[in-house]
Amino acid sequence: MVGVIPKTKIGFTQFLKVGRAIPMKKSLDVIEAEVFFFGINIKKEWQWSDTATASLQIGEKIESGAFRTAYKCHVLKSSTLDTYKSYVLKVLHKEGIDARKQMAEMVSREMTEKEATEDFCKRSVQGQTVALDVCQQFSDAVADVSGYGETPRMIPALFIKMNSTTYGTCGTVEEFLPGRYKKIYHKLSGQTANNRVVRYR
């Protein structure tokens, strides 16, 4: 009797690779972080929350932009973050830190590297949180409009403090969304971006 080969999602090339020893990836970095939430309190005022903690395992680099570099990461242990989800850690690179310091100098304010990094990250989370709130209000406003369709949505972002020689003293964390992405607009220049499509998984 001839057996039936079961269907598999593994490609032929991957089957061939197991014929020789596959090199192991280097150990992933693990950082201990303090997590801070930004939102509206019961007095309808914006405020930063009390500190939570998290152990983050940093994975591969995803992309670098004008200010920051993004890394995929996983939560090993946390008092607040979900350990079954993947996240994105965004940290300022040197060019981004220098740019923020130059912006501060334009309004006659001097900043250390640590102050510039924390200021940028907090502003980023605050802006993203406000955008999330605006999207939710818009969604609520058109909820009863027949046939309106989908409305814009934002991912919540969190501010973290850490003590890492590789990733710096602070950054932002948000949920990782796999899929195909195309950047169509540069928020800094206001110009249309290139047509490059990137797949993240």
Side-chain angles (χ1 to χ4, degrees):
M1 181 177 178
V2 179
V4 178
I5 300 177
K7 291 183 179 180
T8 175
K9 294 181 179 180
I10 301 175
F12 183 69
T13 303
Q14 295 299 319
F15 270 120
L16 293 178
K17 285 185 177 180
V18 299
R20 61 179 185 273
I22 298 175
M24 296 178 64
K25 293 183 178 180
K26 68 176 183 179
S27 299
L28 300 178
D29 295 330
V30 176
I31 60 173
E32 301 298 325
E34 296 176 281
V35 184
F36 300 85
F37 299 82
F38 184 72
I40 295 284
N41 61 21
I42 58 175
K43 296 181 180 179
K44 303 294 184 181
E45 299 172 336
W46 292 106
Q47 74 168 27
W48 286 97
S49 72
D50 295 334
T51 308
T53 58
S55 296
L56 304 176
Q57 186 179 54
I58 314 302
E60 70 271 19
K61 173 183 171 182
I62 298 175
E63 197 74 70
S64 279
F67 289 90
R68 298 184 290 179
T69 299
Y71 299 89
K72 190 174 181 180
C73 68
H74 299 276
V75 178
L76 299 180
K77 182 176 62 176
S78 175
S79 55
T80 52
L81 301 180
D82 295 322
T83 55
Y84 60 88
K85 290 182 179 179
S86 294
Y87 289 84
V88 176
L89 168 67
K90 296 180 181 179
V91 295
L92 263 75
H93 47 58
K94 186 180 184 305
E95 291 78 8
I97 295 172
D98 291 342
R100 182 66 193 99
K101 290 171 70 174
Q102 290 173 7
M103 291 178 191
E105 291 170 0
M106 292 173 64
V107 291
S108 302
R109 180 185 174 190
E110 291 187 4
M111 280 186 170
T112 64
E113 182 173 310
K114 183 177 180 180
E115 289 172 337
T117 304
E118 184 167 328
D119 180 82
F120 185 98
C121 292
K122 282 185 173 180
R123 285 170 180 260
S124 177
V125 171
Q126 290 171 187
Q128 197 158 327
T129 305
V130 171
L132 188 151
D133 185 72
V134 171
C135 287
Q136 185 59 57
Q137 290 188 47
F138 180 78
S139 180
D140 293 342
V142 300
D144 296 329
V145 179
S146 178
Y148 187 88
E150 294 188 6
T151 56
R153 290 175 292 173
M154 292 291 296
I155 305 172
L158 309 172
F159 171 67
I160 67 167
K161 285 186 176 182
M162 53 194 173
N163 187 15
S164 169
T165 55
T166 304
Y167 306 102
T169 57
C170 60
T172 64
V173 170
E174 59 192 60
E175 186 179 343
F176 174 80
L177 293 181
R180 292 170 60 87
Y181 295 90
K182 179 179 179 181
K183 190 167 188 175
I184 58 175
Y185 183 77
H186 284 295
K187 64 181 179 181
L188 295 178
S189 65
Q191 302 297 314
T192 302
N194 58 40
N195 292 320
R196 186 167 66 102
V197 177
V198 182
R199 182 178 180 85
Y200 298 128
R201 55 187 179 183

